[in-house]
Amino acid sequence: MIVITGATGKVGSKITEHLLARGRTIRAVGRSAQRLANLVAGGAEGMVGDLADTAFLGRAFSGADAVFVLLPPNMGAADFRAFQDRIGESITEAIRRSGVRYVVNLSSQGGDLESGTGPIAGLHAQEERLNGLPGVHVLHLRPTYFMENLLMNIDLIRKMGIMGSAVKGDVPLAMIATRDIASYAAERLDRLDFTGKTVRDLLGPRDITMNEAATVIGKAIGRPGLTYAAFPPDDALKGMVAAGLSPDLSRLYVEMSEAINRGVLTSGAKRTRETSTATTIEEYAREFAGIFTEAEAAGKSAA
Ligand SMILES: NC(=O)c1ccc[n+]([C@@H]2O[C@H](COP(=O)([O-])OP(=O)(O)OC[C@H]3O[C@@H](n4cnc5c(N)ncnc54)[C@H](OP(=O)(O)O)[C@@H]3O)[C@@H](O)[C@H]2O)c1
């Protein structure tokens, strides 16, 4: 049996679907039975509870051959790093108590760096915690910037006709689609062929800049000529707070963007046949276009 945490999320849901399709027994963990219902209908056992609840998580992990773990986002956290530490300690203790021997951990590019990377520093701390578990085989996945992050531009495109963030428009990023992270994670969870504490960088098929992403997305949504604007850090911070993110998380996201701009995050991982993944930005843009069209239709019907 394999336990998937964050099972209703972008990566976890797709891992669950892959493994169910391979006939594996899956326990899917999330906070809402309703949100887990599709996976349960597909054959997973649903288990409802909070990752911060170590006793619950120990029960969820018990009897598992392997677990997939992540530190989820929490947009409203007043102290985001403290939130990450609380969840990370709970996950680590639950693994210890339940005796699980194989762990696939969703980290990030930059997971090797201790500080100066915003929320990614919390993922580094979690890698270290899991590396301290004796006798447990841990595979840390370090994917690059998710293509799905581009969806955060939908309101901006609809209201101001641009894409934008604190990341500079001409910085090359190895953007990756979450479907490719999930299929890789599912493969390794199925095979359980890793030993000790190991790391796998995961990159998209090629590096692209935000300026290029805007061109591709603009074409896909029928707005050729869509441009990207790099916002000054203070403006980006105000925008995130206005959108409902806590000031602390907004500050951390700006710190991460500045690390991207300095090329700090992108310096470690090398593109090889093993670290490259398949989905191109042009392919992802078709998915983006579908979601954008739905948002436009919903906006029009609400108006
Ligand atoms: N975005 C990027 O570019 C990027 C790049 C590299 C790494 N990462 C890392 O990827 C991770 C996020 O993965 P994702 O995008 O797949 O996540 P996601 O789509 O945001 O989903 C989060 C999942 O966690 C669950 N969850 C949230 N809080 C929970 C709690 N307190 N207890 C139990 N379950 C909880 C949610 O389920 P319910 O709400 O249904 O409970 C959901 O299934 C983060 O650690 C992030 O740092 C992101």
Side-chain angles (χ1 to χ4, degrees), residues 5-16 29 35-36 39 70 178:
T5 62
T8 61
K10 291 185 286 298
V11 178
S13 62
K14 297 179 195 97
I15 298 177
T16 305
V29 176
R35 286 197 290 275
L36 287 166
L39 298 174
L70 82 177
T178 55

Side-chain angles (χ1 to χ4, degrees), residues 201-260:
D201 294 313
L202 289 173
L203 289 72
R206 70 173 196 272
D207 288 2
I208 40 171
T209 64
M210 288 294 189
N211 290 336
E212 288 166 346
T215 303
V216 174
I217 296 285
K219 219 161 132 188
I221 63 172
R223 295 192 183 210
L226 179 70
T227 55
Y228 176 86
F231 301 137
D234 278 355
D235 291 358
L237 192 137
K238 280 184 204 139
M240 284 188 267
V241 171
L245 274 66
S246 74
D248 186 56
L249 184 57
S250 304
R251 179 187 61 75
L252 290 172
Y253 277 147
V254 168
E255 183 178 290
M256 180 179 77
S257 300
E258 289 178 324
I260 292 173

Side-chain angles (χ1 to χ4, degrees), residues 21 33 40 65-66 74 117 138 143 153 185-186 195 221 237 241 248 284 300 303:
V40 171
D65 301 307
N74 178 348
T117 57
V138 184
N153 286 284
T195 51
I221 63 172
L237 192 137
V241 171
D248 186 56
Y284 177 72
K300 276 187 191 125

Side-chain angles (χ1 to χ4, degrees), residues 1-4 15 19 24 64-69 95 100-106 130-131 133 135-141 183-200:
M1 187 264 292
I2 301 171
V3 178
I4 309 295
I15 298 177
L19 290 171
R24 299 303 300 253
D65 301 307
V67 297
F68 169 78
V69 294
I95 292 168
V100 175
R101 295 201 49 236
Y102 287 90
V103 175
V104 173
N105 172 46
L106 180 57
L130 294 173
N131 287 344
L133 286 169
V136 181
H137 306 296
V138 184
L139 170 64
H140 302 290
L141 303 181
S183 66
Y184 183 83
E187 184 69 34
R188 302 302 298 269
L189 283 162
D190 198 29
R191 293 208 308 257
L192 295 186
D193 55 356
F194 48 96
T195 51
K197 312 296 193 274
T198 52
V199 170
R200 167 48 58 109

Side-chain angles (χ1 to χ4, degrees), residues 144-186:
T144 52
Y145 190 93
F146 294 177
M147 290 183 188
E148 283 79 356
N149 296 346
L150 298 172
L151 293 169
M152 288 186 286
N153 286 284
I154 286 183
D155 268 1
L156 206 54
I157 299 172
R158 292 187 56 228
K159 290 178 187 150
M160 297 176 64
I162 55 165
M163 283 178 38
S165 78
V167 174
K168 287 188 181 149
D170 59 355
V171 176
L173 291 165
M175 289 187 205
I176 188 168
T178 55
R179 69 176 82 139
D180 292 338
I181 305 169
S183 66
Y184 183 83

